[in-house]
Amino acid sequence: MSEQNSTAPADKHPKQNATAPNNNSLPLSQTDSRDKWSKKMDFLLSVIGFAVDLGNVWRFPYICYQNGGGAFLIPYTIMALFGGVPLFFMELALGQFHRTGAITIWKRICPIFKGIGFAICIIGLYVSFYYNTIIAWALYYFYSSFSTTLPWTSCNNPWNTENCTNYFGKSNISWNNFSRSPAEEFYTRHVLGIHEADGLDHVGGLRWQLLICLFLIFIIVYFSLWKGVKTSGKVVWVTATLPYVVLFILLIRGATLPGAWRGILFYVRPNWEKLTDTGVWVDAAAQIFFSLGPGFGVLLALASYNPFNNNCYRDAIITSVVNCLTSFLSGFVIFTVLGYMAEMRDVEVEDVAKDKGPSLLFITYPEAIANMVGSTFFAIIFFLMMITLGLDSTFGGLEAVITAIMDEYPHILGKRRELFVLGLVTVCFTGSLSTLTHGGAYVVKLLEEFGAGCSIIAVVFLEAIAVSWFYGIQRFCNDVKSMLGFFPGIYWRVCWVAISPAFLAFIIVSSFMDQPPLMLFDYRYPEWTISVGYLIGASSFIWIPVYMVYKLVWTPGSLKQRLAVCIRPENVARDQQSDSLCMTAAP
């Protein structure tokens, strides 16, 4: 039997597999009963919706202007071509060929690396603990926007302090180090209530307003995922397309504001000297990786519901280009408004945008909207866009966990998807409670940095090594040929074997070498919280070596035979082990 046929999915030849003697060894998820996308567009919108998230709106514009403006597009494009897009294509091809989730797939690739699947699921849970809270913040802003005068416009509210200074467009107002804008006090004091927390030492009680918002978010998530891709594939027609309508509306409005040209010029003006800074290349690599999202198991899960001969190569190119162009477009949307704010404040653009985190979306941009004509309308559509951007990514992240676990335990969970999804959503909601406290923003920052930071990069690095070097680039390319009818070119093979793993190793090493102090607002995280963060990161990654040891211990035979079995796809390794044992037993 050839290597290509030995790893082909079961549903390629359903009639033959129905009577094959080893049919019981194949996962139930790989039969014709597996769900499939109702339409090709459902899949494309789901992938685009996952890749295009809140980070495209705040992180890319900020990193771009901080790292050389238009010049940053050079390292960004290079990193996309030789790192992000090849890994993106690899995951889509793996998911579509093997038609199973992030855990079970390793039986058919390299069993000793099965711990990668468990690590991905744990990382997915950590992301759900904080990411949905950010969507809940946006929902609270959305609700607060339904008023004639936006509540973050003035300093005449119960939550404001004597430091509140509404200086927007006023030349006779003095600003000092203690001054706070109405938008900042609305976010920090009214929405977060962070003034009532004493850092992570004492996070305070729950914010019931945010609790209700998060509960509503998880209700939407549950009823979008409970029936599988047939329901989520319909929801993304709204959640994945609405942000583009809103982005174009906000772009047109922003371009007509006074001073918008200052923001655009600052955004795209090339600073060629920045290209000699290693940090710029690190930022470009990290941005394209987290933007496209390989390693989270989402692409494996979404592609596993495709027909076997679907053109995943074309899908990878289309969705990658759409994602990168969306990031670039978002930069214009953000910086036209920042230019307007700089004009009204009579300051430089770099003095307006000082934070690449959520503050840009919850303080800076809302402040600009509050001082526009038609502020209520633009606030409503802006925060509606944020909600839909976040929901798409949540759908993808949780579907990766659902698919991985259900494919691993089909006999237990195969007929109980609704109950399993309900249990998973309940776990995610419970895990998010600490982010709903007065100091919840500190917890969000900690989980964002350590829960899905370096650990996910290390996971996808091992994934690339396992596929290219252990499963074998020749076998993988044969799999692609059996689906698409053509053998991947030298560019793809070189990227998978050498360039993409080097790209990931570059990010990992650089992130360990450059570790600035972790801060949020004026709070500097104490050392013990950093230690907790490392434990959070290790709690997911540790499953990879743990499973390796477990697999080697419980596999029968000599150490050489065990290694041979553990690094080969199970159906191939089983045949090799049988032959080896027969030769050993022969007289």
Side-chain angles (χ1 to χ4, degrees):
M1 181 180 291
S2 68
E3 289 182 342
Q4 174 182 332
N5 290 334
S6 67
T7 56
D11 65 342
K12 185 180 178 184
H13 305 292
K15 293 183 179 179
Q16 294 177 9
N17 286 328
T19 57
N22 63 345
N23 188 50
N24 292 332
S25 66
L26 295 173
L28 294 181
S29 60
Q30 291 184 290
T31 66
D32 280 341
S33 62
R34 186 175 182 83
D35 283 346
K36 295 181 178 63
W37 296 102
S38 299
K39 298 178 182 178
K40 173 65 175 287
M41 202 64 186
D42 293 355
F43 165 70
L44 289 177
L45 289 176
S46 296
V47 174
I48 291 172
F50 162 72
V52 179
D53 66 350
L54 294 172
N56 293 72
V57 180
W58 85 62
R59 190 176 289 113
F60 176 83
Y62 182 88
I63 292 179
C64 188
Y65 100 78
Q66 190 183 45
N67 290 292
F72 177 74
L73 296 178
I74 295 176
Y76 180 78
T77 302
I78 291 174
M79 292 298 178
L81 290 175
F82 294 101
V85 177
L87 292 170
F88 194 87
F89 177 31
M90 171 184 279
E91 283 214 353
L92 287 183
L94 285 171
Q96 182 171 304
F97 183 83
H98 294 287
R99 303 207 64 210
T100 187
I103 298 177
T104 310
I105 194 172
W106 291 101
K107 295 179 181 179
R108 306 176 65 82
I109 297 177
C110 188
I112 200 170
F113 283 98
K114 189 177 178 180
I116 289 177
F118 294 108
I120 286 173
C121 290
I122 294 173
I123 292 172
L125 288 178
Y126 286 150
V127 172
S128 71
F129 290 167
Y130 75 85
Y131 193 80
N132 292 289
T133 298
I134 299 176
I135 307 174
W137 295 347
L139 180 59
Y140 188 77
Y141 268 85
F142 178 72
Y143 164 77
S144 302
S145 299
F146 287 90
S147 60
T148 305
T149 303
L150 296 176
W152 57 87
T153 303
S154 68
C155 293
N156 303 323
N157 303 288
W159 57 83
N160 292 127
T161 67
E162 64 275 7
N163 293 325
C164 184
T165 306
N166 191 5
Y167 64 94
F168 200 91
K170 300 175 183 178
S171 58
N172 60 339
I173 299 295
S174 61
W175 183 268
N176 56 56
N177 292 334
F178 299 100
S179 299
R180 297 291 182 266
S181 69
E184 181 177 351
E185 290 204 341
F186 178 82
Y187 175 56
T188 58
R189 296 180 63 85
H190 184 61
V191 178
L192 301 180
I194 205 167
H195 61 286
E196 297 185 30
D198 185 21
L200 287 174
D201 296 296
H202 182 262
V203 294
L206 290 172
R207 301 282 293 168
W208 66 267
Q209 302 96 327
L210 297 180
L211 184 67
I212 294 174
C213 290
L214 187 65
F215 182 72
L216 293 175
I217 292 297
F218 273 114
I219 287 178
I220 296 173
V221 170
Y222 174 72
F223 284 108
S224 298
L225 296 176
W226 70 324
K227 292 292 186 182
V229 294
K230 294 188 183 302
T231 54
S232 62
K234 298 296 181 290
V235 176
V236 293
W237 280 84
V238 176
T239 57
T241 57
L242 182 62
Y244 289 96
V245 176
V246 176
L247 278 175
F248 279 108
I249 293 174
L250 294 175
L251 177 62
I252 295 171
R253 180 68 184 105
T256 61
L257 295 171
W261 63 273
R262 294 178 59 185
I264 294 175
L265 185 62
F266 191 84
Y267 175 48
V268 300
R269 180 192 293 141
N271 182 359
W272 302 111
E273 295 180 359
K274 283 282 190 178
L275 296 182
T276 61
D277 185 359
T278 305
V280 174
W281 293 83
V282 174
D283 285 345
Q287 174 59 29
I288 193 64
F289 171 79
F290 283 106
S291 181
L292 290 176
F296 287 91
V298 178
L299 303 177
L300 290 173
L302 298 181
S304 71
Y305 299 105
N306 274 334
F308 182 74
N309 297 114
N310 174 66
N311 193 339
C312 56
Y313 170 76
R314 182 177 58 196
D315 296 343
I317 301 299
I318 291 174
T319 51
S320 299
V321 170
V322 169
N323 176 70
C324 294
L325 290 180
T326 303
S327 296
F328 193 54
L329 172 66
S330 299
F332 286 100
V333 173
I334 296 296
F335 275 91
T336 54
V337 171
L338 295 183
Y340 163 64
M341 293 186 67
E343 183 82 7
M344 295 297 101
R345 292 183 180 181
D346 194 22
V347 297
E348 297 299 323
V349 177
E350 60 261 36
D351 295 326
V352 178
K354 295 182 179 181
D355 188 355
K356 67 179 179 181
S359 296
L360 183 63
L361 298 182
F362 293 107
I363 297 178
T364 309
Y365 205 91
E367 183 178 349
I369 289 176
N371 291 274
M372 293 180 186
V373 177
S375 58
T376 297
F377 169 74
F378 289 108
I380 290 173
I381 64 170
F382 176 72
F383 289 110
L384 180 61
M385 176 190 72
M386 288 179 59
I387 293 169
T388 54
L389 281 173
L391 284 174
D392 283 334
S393 297
T394 292
F395 295 160
L398 289 182
E399 183 59 55
V401 178
I402 294 167
T403 300
I405 297 177
M406 289 193 64
D407 285 350
E408 181 66 7
Y409 306 103
H411 298 289
I412 300 174
L413 302 175
K415 302 292 186 179
R416 301 179 177 89
R417 180 183 173 100
E418 293 88 346
L419 288 175
F420 173 64
V421 175
L422 178 61
L424 179 64
V425 167
T426 302
V427 169
C428 294
F429 180 78
T430 304
S432 303
L433 292 180
S434 62
T435 66
L436 304 177
T437 58
H438 293 100
Y442 300 132
V443 182
V444 168
K445 180 73 172 179
L446 190 71
L447 288 172
E448 182 184 12
E449 290 290 328
F450 295 100
C454 196
S455 55
I456 190 64
I457 303 175
V459 163
V460 76
F461 170 74
L462 291 178
E463 178 183 312
I465 295 295
V467 173
S468 299
W469 296 2
F470 287 86
Y471 184 66
I473 197 64
Q474 183 69 29
R475 181 186 282 120
F476 176 63
C477 289
N478 285 337
D479 295 346
V480 174
K481 183 178 180 180
S482 67
M483 291 188 297
L484 307 182
F486 63 87
F487 201 80
I490 186 66
Y491 159 74
W492 296 104
R493 299 198 300 274
V494 171
C495 285
W496 289 329
V497 171
I499 299 179
S500 294
F503 150 85
L504 292 167
F506 175 62
I507 302 177
I508 295 171
V509 173
S510 300
S511 63
F512 277 112
M513 292 177 61
D514 182 21
Q515 292 183 318
L518 188 61
M519 295 189 67
L520 181 65
F521 303 122
D522 297 326
Y523 176 70
R524 180 167 179 159
Y525 284 68
E527 287 300 321
W528 72 266
T529 63
I530 305 300
S531 300
V532 170
Y534 284 124
L535 288 176
I536 292 173
S539 66
S540 58
F541 187 80
I542 194 65
W543 287 100
I544 300 175
V546 166
Y547 187 83
M548 287 181 173
V549 173
Y550 163 79
K551 187 68 175 176
L552 286 172
V553 169
W554 285 97
T555 300
S558 65
L559 179 60
K560 182 178 180 180
Q561 291 171 336
R562 294 180 186 188
L563 286 173
V565 169
C566 292
I567 65 175
R568 294 287 184 268
E570 282 198 355
N571 46 351
V572 176
R574 190 183 302 115
D575 295 339
Q576 291 180 341
Q577 185 184 35
S578 177
D579 294 341
S580 177
L581 291 174
C582 288
M583 292 176 63
T584 303

